[in-house]
Amino acid sequence: MSSPARTNPPLVIPSVHGIGVVCGLAAGVWLGAAEAPTKLVNSGLSPYAISLCMVAGVFTARWTVPTLLKGTRQVFADLAEHRHLIPIAILAGMLWAVANTLTVFAIRDVGLAIAFPLWNTNSLVGILWGRLLFGELKGASRVNIAKVILGALAIVIAAVMLGFSTIQASGAHADRAIGGILAAIGASLLWGTMYIPYRKAYISGLNPLSFVTVFTLGELGTMVALVLALDGGAKAAVFHSGETRHLLFWLFLGGFVWVIGDLFQQFATKYLGIGRGIPLSNTNQMWGLAWGALVFGELAHADAAHRLLVVIGSLVMICGALAVTTAVATEKERASMREAVVRECARYDLDYDRIVRSSTGQSPAAGSERRAGRDYVILACGIGIFVWLGTNAQVPQLAMNLGWIIVLAAVLVASAVAAAMLLWKSTRFS
């Protein structure tokens, strides 16, 4: 391996801004749709049970999708080279699990259309950590700094507007609005901090598809612990009640959809950084609002003032996120981010040249292209789980607009196909 301590070659990193932007937008579409199944909290399941079932679906997807795209040989070879990142990935999964549980409480107490923009203030936390730990915005132009600061302020203002509109709303959950808002803000803090392991992994050259397979160990372990500690222990209804079996398919499906969105978000974080990638993926607020309002009719009985605050707050938040992500990094800023790569290479004796090529999608993950027998076993098990759950599924007794479900599902498919094709042609998912 070459020693980064001895040499810091003046390599010019090609622009991958477009790849990151497309991935971030696709992430927003899928992450927004993933929360729709959590509306089942109104069907009697506890928030802990909802989150555990979703995480089980996440666990299934986080192994089957990387296996399908890259194969376990490449995933395991990548992890073997970056053993020091395994505990960090598990910690990130633990943070995700707790944050996801808080979002279910928030949805129960204030609704999907309101909870989304509140926890999407995680972009502010991400911008802070990106600047302090990874040199993002260091050396940036005044225009870019202004875009990021004004965009961040717009996100905060929008969150305040939406929170105020919730408290003033005369809805069925008005008495629990404060608790729901606090849960959403807690999720924001945890998810914003979770992006530190993301960025650390990718400036070290770890493939996002490899990262998520370890990430899910922390997710599932934490959720099992939360259910055992806070939701009835081994006697929890989620483990024994046959009445919940028909709901499991939808919650697993929600977890699967979340993984697709999260994978695109991972690639956006890799190619844009925390400060730009996360706000762009936070356009999921718009899609969460669409599912909540158009499919589930969350704003059907809201008064005009309430609706106006929600719409204006949502637009302000989206504009703030777009302002942040249109701040394309200059060469000076990219140089400061390369310094963070040099530090990681020196700390863990990594090959600087290879890491830089990996950061621009020029170097596929190490390992054989040949499929291992276990790959087919993993894929078969993943498909089998969903088929088995699907045979027991029933359509939830919730008021839903079928026409809008079809329209939004079509947008899901189109966005995934577009982003996946771009990633494959440009980087081979590296």
Side-chain angles (χ1 to χ4, degrees), residues 31 48 51-63 86-101 191 194 198 211-227 254-256 258-259 262-263 265-266:
L31 293 175
Y48 299 105
S51 189
L52 175 61
C53 293
M54 285 190 68
V55 167
V58 166
F59 181 88
T60 304
R62 286 201 196 278
W63 279 91
I86 292 177
I88 294 174
I90 293 175
L91 175 62
M94 296 171 68
L95 292 174
W96 187 95
V98 176
N100 188 66
T101 304
W191 269 333
M194 177 190 70
Y198 278 35
F211 180 80
V212 298
T213 57
V214 180
F215 184 98
T216 196
L217 300 178
E219 291 174 312
L220 188 60
T222 299
M223 278 316 309
V224 171
L226 287 175
V227 170
F256 191 92
W258 183 280
V259 166
D262 184 60
L263 283 173
Q265 181 178 241
Q266 302 264 359

Side-chain angles (χ1 to χ4, degrees), residues 25-182:
L25 290 174
V29 177
W30 282 79
L31 293 175
E35 292 298 333
T38 60
K39 288 289 292 183
L40 292 170
V41 73
N42 295 329
S43 299
L45 285 176
S46 75
Y48 299 105
I50 294 278
S51 189
L52 175 61
C53 293
M54 285 190 68
V55 167
V58 166
F59 181 88
T60 304
R62 286 201 196 278
W63 279 91
T64 54
V65 174
T67 299
L68 177 65
L69 296 178
K70 280 290 187 181
T72 55
R73 292 183 189 275
Q74 292 197 22
V75 169
F76 292 155
D78 200 18
L79 291 173
E81 184 180 357
H82 300 87
R83 292 186 183 90
H84 63 285
L85 294 172
I86 292 177
I88 294 174
I90 293 175
L91 175 62
M94 296 171 68
L95 292 174
W96 187 95
V98 176
N100 188 66
T101 304
L102 289 174
T103 66
V104 180
F105 278 101
I107 291 170
R108 182 194 67 182
D109 293 345
V110 296
L112 189 62
I114 301 300
F116 245 117
L118 292 178
W119 73 59
N120 273 354
T121 55
N122 65 344
S123 59
L124 292 174
V125 183
I127 289 170
L128 175 63
W129 288 125
R131 176 64 183 87
L132 293 178
L133 300 180
F134 304 110
E136 296 182 10
L137 289 180
K138 183 180 179 181
S141 66
R142 291 182 178 179
V143 173
N144 279 353
I145 293 174
K147 285 182 178 181
V148 171
I149 292 176
L150 292 176
L153 288 175
I155 293 171
V156 173
I157 292 170
V160 172
M161 291 173 63
L162 288 159
F164 181 77
S165 70
T166 305
I167 295 174
Q168 297 300 315
S170 56
H173 305 303
D175 58 329
R176 298 187 297 191
I178 295 296
I181 290 172
L182 292 177

